Amino acid sequence: MSFKSFVRELREIKDGIGSISKRGEEGSRHWRNRTMSHIAPDQEEHSPFELIQQGRWANLPPELLLDIIRRLEESETSWPFRAVVVSCASVCRSWRAITKEIIRTPEQCGRLTFPISLKQPGPRESPFQCFIRRDRATSTYLLYFGLAPSEDEKHKLLLAAKRVRRAAGTDFIISLVADDFSRASSTYVGKLRSNFLGTKFSIYDSQPPCDSAAQQNSRSSRRFHSKQVSPRVPACNYSVGTVSYELNVLRTRGPRRMQCVMQTIPVSSIQEGGTAPTPTSFTHSDDHLSIESDSMRKDSGKDFGSKTPSEPAVQGSDESLVLKNKAPRWHEQLQCWCLNFRGRVTVASVKNFQLVAAVDESHNVSVEEQEKVMLQFGKIGKDIFTMDYHYPLSAFQAFAICLSSFDTKPACE
């Protein structure tokens, strides 16, 4: 059998899988409507399809299967063609194990494949280029993987968010899909919550940080009683970062000033030879979510946003990474504040920003790393914004930071 024939049959298998469960049916429908994430759910539970006799595909020799999937990984590097690689992990458990063994993290290979890729650090060199589409009527925000929207291309949906107004502030519920924002759903990945003035935002993750020190620093809050939902659905939110905007008391003209404290990313991650925490799978076990530790209860009322860049995240552990917006320069001819977005931003807006590391000499961070833009966000059209990020931020963290820019901030402008 030729390699092309194998790929064709693999796509047919993918289409077959999509009709087995309700979620699969929705995925197939949204594939055509361009509103569903093309990234397959990274869950360890047995799917009904695994119980079906797979014939020759399930009985392929491991050596042959390893070679085939490796060739697919090398050839199908862009979406939507990369869906074939995801399909390999959907055939059966043996296929999934080998596929996950071959697929590397975005930091290592510069590609997005499984849902967990959205919570792993981006590439160190070239940033991932994405764009956000805002729907004012439904208060939703869709993050797509691609340079900019176009009519003749099928863009891959990465994450979706819905704004929910509360009496004391605003919540942005972040999901893997665009039609289910329930916090009891397995597609729920986290949320962004603001205070009453819209000057401070807390980023919550649906799963605990993979680093033990960072897990001590993050605080958890129960979303619902663990017995009310499936044990595979996380029952807690974990605070993993804060975004603070400086008050403009004198009402002076100028760009917003913001600072982000990434509680789960140590400042050593941007030092020479440093690494950032990288989760390898979504946490579905409810064992460690059902009971909060005493230390979490004691720290639940602390204001993490009030930390200074030099204050350690955890006693005796590494400091948290702090990001600040890059100061723009005043352009005399244009009579406006300007930043070099390298052609990725075309419309002037108070929402536009670039984030760099806020470090001092004691952190031993190179000048190149200090000047590197880790996240940039800006407007290119009506309700269309670009979002470019790379290491050590993940797509989830970058998207949450950008969502904070959409909330009303009368006290900061």
Side-chain angles (χ1 to χ4, degrees):
M1 176 182 293
S2 65
F3 185 70
K4 291 183 178 180
S5 300
F6 173 79
V7 172
R8 183 170 58 253
E9 292 202 21
L10 193 58
R11 284 172 176 159
E12 293 176 357
I13 292 177
K14 174 179 71 67
D15 295 336
I17 295 174
S19 62
I20 290 176
S21 63
K22 179 181 178 182
R23 186 173 179 181
E25 292 174 358
E26 293 176 354
S28 178
R29 182 173 63 254
H30 289 305
W31 169 273
R32 295 188 295 269
N33 296 334
R34 305 185 190 179
T35 59
M36 175 66 178
S37 171
H38 301 342
I39 300 181
D42 184 17
Q43 299 180 359
E44 298 296 335
E45 65 267 18
H46 296 269
S47 65
F49 192 68
E50 291 184 15
L51 303 178
I52 300 176
Q53 180 64 30
Q54 298 296 322
R56 56 183 177 178
W57 301 121
N59 299 323
L60 282 177
E63 297 80 7
L64 176 60
L65 182 59
L66 185 67
D67 179 65
I68 292 174
I69 297 179
R70 183 176 286 116
R71 291 173 61 186
L72 282 173
E73 158 67 11
E74 295 173 353
S75 62
E76 308 297 341
T77 59
S78 60
W79 290 88
F81 306 106
R82 194 161 177 77
V84 176
V85 180
V86 178
S87 300
C88 292
S90 305
V91 174
C92 60
R93 293 191 66 185
S94 60
W95 281 56
R96 171 173 287 270
I98 293 179
T99 304
K100 293 179 68 174
E101 178 184 342
I102 295 175
I103 301 300
R104 295 173 295 170
T105 65
E107 177 187 353
Q108 297 169 330
C109 68
R111 300 168 191 151
L112 294 171
T113 308
F114 296 112
I116 194 61
S117 303
L118 303 176
K119 291 193 175 183
Q120 294 174 336
R124 290 179 179 263
E125 301 301 329
S126 301
F128 279 143
Q129 296 179 317
C130 314
F131 66 91
I132 299 174
R133 186 187 297 274
R134 174 177 59 181
D135 190 331
R136 296 175 183 266
T138 59
S139 298
T140 56
Y141 305 83
L142 305 181
L143 175 66
Y144 292 93
F145 190 47
L147 295 175
S150 59
E151 296 296 333
D152 57 343
E153 293 185 11
K154 293 183 178 180
H155 298 287
K156 180 167 67 70
L157 177 67
L158 298 180
L159 293 168
K162 184 176 181 62
R163 183 170 63 179
V164 180
R165 296 190 181 276
R166 301 178 296 107
T170 304
D171 279 357
F172 289 86
I173 311 300
I174 304 176
S175 173
L176 289 173
V177 296
D179 57 357
D180 185 3
F181 295 98
S182 170
R183 278 170 281 193
S185 171
S186 60
T187 60
Y188 172 81
V189 295
K191 71 176 181 179
L192 179 75
R193 168 165 289 186
S194 75
N195 62 0
F196 179 74
L197 294 177
T199 57
K200 180 182 174 182
F201 297 79
S202 297
I203 303 173
Y204 292 94
D205 199 334
S206 62
Q207 66 181 56
C210 59
D211 183 78
S212 58
Q215 187 168 345
Q216 295 176 22
N217 184 42
S218 65
R219 43 186 183 121
S220 64
S221 61
R222 182 156 298 283
R223 287 152 49 197
F224 36 73
H225 197 278
S226 59
K227 293 183 179 180
Q228 294 177 349
V229 294
S230 168
R232 292 200 175 274
V233 179
C236 289
N237 283 310
Y238 291 84
S239 178
V240 296
T242 59
V243 183
S244 302
Y245 289 83
E246 184 178 318
L247 288 172
N248 188 359
V249 180
L250 300 179
R251 310 294 293 176
T252 57
R253 293 184 60 189
R256 296 171 177 170
R257 294 182 177 88
M258 60 188 296
Q259 176 180 278
C260 305
V261 180
M262 310 309 297
Q263 299 164 9
T264 58
I265 304 178
V267 69
S268 61
S269 63
I270 61 174
Q271 295 173 349
E272 185 176 358
T275 58
T278 304
T280 56
S281 62
F282 279 106
T283 303
H284 298 291
S285 175
D286 197 46
D287 297 338
H288 63 284
L289 300 177
S290 58
I291 301 177
E292 295 181 11
S293 64
D294 293 337
S295 61
M296 288 182 177
R297 291 194 185 97
K298 292 178 181 178
D299 295 340
S300 60
K302 290 185 178 180
D303 186 0
F304 287 94
S306 62
K307 290 184 178 179
T308 61
S310 60
E311 182 182 353
V314 184
Q315 186 69 26
S317 68
D318 201 355
E319 300 178 15
S320 296
L321 176 65
V322 178
L323 305 177
K324 64 178 180 179
N325 63 309
K326 189 175 182 178
R329 61 179 179 85
W330 178 257
H331 199 290
E332 289 293 342
Q333 294 180 342
L334 299 178
Q335 289 294 297
C336 64
W337 297 95
C338 295
L339 278 172
N340 183 11
F341 288 96
R342 302 184 183 278
R344 289 286 289 154
V345 178
T346 57
V347 180
S349 173
V350 70
K351 296 179 176 63
N352 302 345
F353 66 80
Q354 290 180 330
L355 293 184
V356 295
V359 296
D360 51 40
E361 295 181 357
S362 63
H363 291 130
N364 297 321
V365 178
S366 65
V367 177
E368 182 182 359
E369 284 294 330
Q370 294 182 37
E371 296 178 350
K372 181 180 293 185
V373 176
M374 299 180 180
L375 171 63
Q376 76 172 22
F377 171 80
K379 191 173 185 179
I380 59 173
K382 184 178 180 181
D383 296 323
I384 302 294
F385 303 80
T386 58
M387 186 194 88
D388 300 344
Y389 78 96
H390 58 69
Y391 178 91
L393 294 177
S394 66
F396 166 71
Q397 293 166 335
F399 187 43
I401 294 173
C402 293
L403 288 174
S404 69
S405 187
F406 287 107
D407 200 29
T408 305
K409 303 172 184 61
C412 303
E413 301 170 358

